[in-house]
């Protein structure tokens, strides 16, 4: 018996997992509730993805509905509304990513040039606060401001004598309205990352540039921007993973049937086609298609960020 116990101890000592679990077992026990939560609420609902391959009928359930293979995915490119939603998503998301990178960089550089700390912190707080507002609140404010009787139309009417403009009902104006409102809400949050990078730049670089006679603009161009470039590359490449995510909460609270041609995105189309029109299988196929493409883009962008900026999480 003594020989067997000795052999077991030798085997377990050779297995690093056994040693690790024995050493940190309280931490693994604490992880169990989180693991159960993820399995139930994150992975459990994935069973419903089989609807994408079925002519799903709620009264027949997942086991009784007819299997139709890839037909729902083929229909994505046959419906004009679906291809239009994909196009709108790409346009809105790409512009949001570009504007959402450029403006925070510009504002971070401007803010870093302010020497009065009171003014600097006040501006930083003011531009950061909208990030904490929900899109329901922001949409309510925008509907009041941009309505036919809203403040913007009153201002334009008094200044130019123009007729009231229905900003949220005009397909041409809807996209700029969405992009500007998203920028207003979120650029303060993005700016903080770049401000942190600027704060971390070695002051001796600026001192050396001043000795060489560089102006403030030349210091920004040759010291600040090159120092920010690795973070800009990381954020830009990782943003590629969100290229099919144009913002459901924002669009859903702002759009209406008048602007479906330019404002309907994949997420809102999935909502309308599945929950409102009862095409559960087709809506699931559209959502799964989006998730698959997004997963590929995230993997590719992560690899690019690792190659270009040596950014690595795992």
């Amino acid at each position: 018996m003594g020989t067997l116990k000795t052999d077991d101890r030798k085997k377990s000592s050779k297995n690093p997992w056994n040693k690790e679990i024995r050493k940190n077992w309280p931490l693994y026990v604490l992880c169990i509730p989180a693991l159960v939560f993820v399995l139930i609420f994150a992975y459990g609902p994935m069973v419903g993805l089989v609807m994408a391959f079925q002519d799903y009928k709620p009264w027949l359930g997942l086991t009784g509905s007819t299997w139709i293979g890839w037909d729902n995915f083929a229909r994505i490119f046959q419906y004009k509304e679906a291809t239009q939603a994909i196009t709108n998503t790409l346009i809105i998301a790409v512009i949001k990513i570009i504007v959402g990178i450029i403006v925070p960089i510009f504002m971070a550089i401007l803010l870093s040039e302010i020497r009065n700390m009171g003014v600097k912190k006040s501006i930083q707080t003011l531009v950061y606060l909208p990030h904490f507002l929900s899109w329901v609140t922001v949409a309510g404010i925008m509907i009041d401001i941009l309505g036919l009787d809203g403040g913007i139309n009153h201002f334009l009417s008094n200044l130019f004598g123009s007729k009231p403009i229905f900003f949220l009902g005009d397909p041409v104006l809807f996209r700029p309205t969405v992009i500007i409102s998203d920028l207003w809400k979120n650029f303060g949050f993005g700016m903080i990352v770049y401000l942190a990078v600027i704060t971390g730049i070695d002051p001796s670089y600026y001192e050396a540039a001043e000795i060489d006679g560089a102006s403030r603009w030349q210091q920004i161009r040759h010291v600040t921007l090159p120092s920010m470039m690795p973070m800009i590359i990381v954020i830009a490449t990782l943003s590629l993973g969100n290229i099919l995510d144009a913002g459901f909460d924002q669009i859903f609270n702002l759009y209406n049937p008048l602007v479906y041609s330019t404002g309907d995105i994949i997420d809102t189309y999935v909502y309308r086609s599945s929950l409102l029109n009862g095409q559960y299988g087709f809506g699931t196929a559209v959502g799964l298609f989006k998730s698959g493409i997004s997963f590929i883009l995230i993997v590719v962008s992560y690899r690019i960020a690792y190659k270009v900026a040596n950014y690595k999480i795992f």
Side-chain angles (χ1 to χ4, degrees):
M1 290 295 289
T3 306
L4 287 175
K5 287 181 179 177
T6 304
D7 292 340
D8 289 341
R9 282 198 295 271
K10 286 181 179 178
K11 287 179 182 177
S12 62
S13 63
K14 290 179 181 177
N15 190 337
W17 276 105
N18 291 341
K19 185 178 179 182
E20 171 67 19
I21 292 174
R22 279 204 311 272
K23 180 180 178 182
N24 298 313
W25 68 266
L27 298 177
Y28 287 103
V29 171
L30 288 174
C31 290
I32 290 176
L35 184 63
V36 172
F37 183 87
V38 169
L39 288 175
I40 293 175
F41 294 103
Y43 286 91
M46 286 188 183
V47 176
L49 291 177
V50 298
M51 286 192 290
F53 305 94
Q54 292 180 327
D55 181 17
Y56 180 75
K57 305 295 182 187
W59 55 89
L60 296 176
L62 293 176
T63 55
S65 298
T66 308
W67 289 88
I68 58 174
W70 297 93
D71 287 1
N72 283 326
F73 292 91
R75 287 166 60 197
I76 294 174
F77 301 99
Q78 294 172 357
Y79 286 177
K80 181 184 175 183
E81 289 183 342
T83 53
Q84 191 177 61
I86 294 173
T87 305
N88 291 337
T89 302
L90 288 172
I91 293 173
I92 293 173
V94 168
I95 297 176
K96 275 185 177 180
I97 290 172
I98 294 172
V99 175
I101 292 174
I102 293 175
V103 174
I105 293 172
F106 180 73
M107 288 300 298
I109 292 173
L110 283 181
L111 206 59
S112 67
E113 294 298 314
I114 296 176
R115 301 303 174 206
N116 188 315
M117 291 305 294
V119 175
K120 186 175 181 178
K121 288 184 178 179
S122 300
I123 295 174
Q124 189 173 339
T125 304
L126 285 174
V127 299
Y128 186 53
L129 280 178
H131 177 74
F132 295 101
L133 298 176
S134 70
W135 272 116
V136 176
T137 305
V138 174
I141 296 171
M142 291 187 63
I143 289 170
D144 286 339
I145 293 175
L146 299 176
L148 293 175
D149 297 326
I152 300 293
N153 274 314
H154 274 296
F155 176 75
L156 294 175
S157 178
N158 293 332
L159 194 63
F160 302 108
S162 60
K163 295 181 179 178
I165 301 171
F166 191 13
F167 290 95
L168 297 177
D170 188 331
V172 177
L173 297 176
F174 185 75
R175 281 178 187 163
T177 305
V178 166
I179 291 164
I180 292 172
S181 60
D182 179 76
L183 183 64
W184 170 77
K185 186 175 184 297
N186 294 318
F187 88 91
F189 183 78
M191 186 184 70
I192 289 177
V193 177
Y194 297 113
L195 268 177
V197 175
I198 294 173
T199 305
I201 298 174
D202 191 342
S204 63
Y205 293 158
Y206 293 105
E207 293 170 3
E210 284 182 1
I211 292 172
D212 290 341
S215 62
R216 289 305 301 173
W217 164 243
Q218 288 172 326
Q219 291 177 33
I220 291 171
R221 183 181 173 188
H222 296 291
V223 177
T224 307
L225 283 175
S227 301
M228 296 172 68
M229 198 53 66
M231 181 57 70
I232 295 172
I233 293 172
V234 168
I235 292 179
T237 51
L238 293 182
S239 296
L240 292 175
N242 297 324
I243 206 165
L244 289 181
D245 188 4
F248 172 80
D249 292 343
Q250 180 191 19
I251 302 291
F252 181 74
N253 285 290
L254 289 176
Y255 85 154
N256 57 73
L258 294 174
V259 294
Y260 279 173
S261 59
T262 57
D264 194 21
I265 60 174
I266 294 176
D267 292 331
T268 52
Y269 180 69
V270 168
Y271 168 77
R272 286 191 294 109
S273 60
S274 58
L275 295 181
L276 298 184
N277 298 333
Q279 301 181 57
Y280 301 102
F282 178 66
T284 306
V286 176
L288 185 58
F289 169 77
K290 177 201 164 188
S291 300
I293 299 296
S294 297
F295 176 74
I296 294 171
L297 289 173
I298 288 172
V299 172
V300 171
S301 60
Y302 180 71
R303 293 297 301 172
I304 293 173
Y306 176 64
K307 292 288 184 182
V308 176
N310 200 26
Y311 175 78
K312 192 174 182 181
I313 298 175
F314 303 105

